[in-house]
Amino acid sequence: QKEVEQNSGPLSVPEGAIASLNCTYSDRGSQSFFWYRQYSGKSPELIMSIYSNGDKEDGRFTAQLNKASQYVSLLIRDSQPSDSATYLCAVNGGNNRLAFGKGNQVVVIP
Amino acid sequence: GAVVSQHPSRVICKSGTSVKIECRSLDFQATTMFWYRQFPKKSLMLMATSNEGSKATYEQGVEKDKFLINHASLTLSTLTVTSAHPEDSSFYICSARDQVSSTDTQYFGPGTRLTVL
């Protein structure tokens, strides 16, 4: 089993809709969770970090963490064309190394 | 805050030459920096963890004699790709952790695109 899994294929959402991304992880001892956005040809940029169970909101982004079920999700409200990118879920298992999922491509259709 | 720079942003070299890539944390100190490689349409792959003042820790399958890492100060780590070959062509990205911050967030540099002819 991979450390971090993002299984959904490319996600197409109409402009203004909610995009929902999910991520599961295998290390139950993981403490830190991150969502990065990566535009084509660019490096990842941090969108959200979350450490405790529950929801964390920042602007149009909401991260949700459920340690019991070992999943973390990202909601993008009022999706904009500029949100079109690949979103990477990353988990720190306590050894200072981030394990990345393969990413989910989001396409916002105007 | 938390800005990481990389230089050069793009390099093209001949096979057999060596290429040095610099990673700098501009507004914070980083005892730990990380080097990743990303091939087209693939996820990030951690190559090594760079520790200030000590030897880097390489991931399994990464040749330490080919990818030389030096972390001589709290704001600078370098990756040297020695005797580069076309299969080394990739997008190399560094990240840095802010040692002062209580979080373990990694901030990424803009990346270096290496093309070996």
Side-chain angles (χ1 to χ4, degrees), chain A residues 32 34 36 38 41-46 49 51 88 92 96-98 100-103, chain B residues 34 36 38 43-44 46 49 59 91 93 97 103-111 113:
Chain A
S32 311
F34 307 88
Y36 288 87
Q38 186 175 24
K42 303 294 185 182
S43 67
E45 60 176 313
L46 180 69
S49 59
Y51 302 90
L88 302 171
N92 187 334
N96 293 326
R97 293 165 66 251
L98 282 182
F100 284 89
K102 63 180 181 180
Chain B
F34 304 85
Y36 295 84
Q38 187 175 37
S43 189
L44 289 167
L46 179 65
T49 302
E59 295 300 301
F91 191 39
I93 312 171
R97 287 181 62 232
T103 71
D104 53 359
T105 304
Q106 289 187 27
Y107 298 94
F108 284 87
R113 193 163 302 282

Side-chain angles (χ1 to χ4, degrees), chain B residues 26-67:
Chain B
L26 297 185
D27 51 1
F28 65 99
Q29 293 183 326
T31 53
T32 306
M33 292 184 175
F34 304 85
W35 287 97
Y36 295 84
R37 181 167 55 181
Q38 187 175 37
F39 292 105
K41 300 191 183 301
K42 300 293 184 183
S43 189
L44 289 167
M45 295 299 296
L46 179 65
M47 299 176 65
T49 302
S50 172
N51 303 298
E52 187 267 336
S54 64
K55 291 183 179 180
T57 304
Y58 290 82
E59 295 300 301
Q60 189 173 8
V62 178
E63 300 176 57
K64 61 181 175 64
D65 294 330
K66 180 171 182 64
F67 298 99

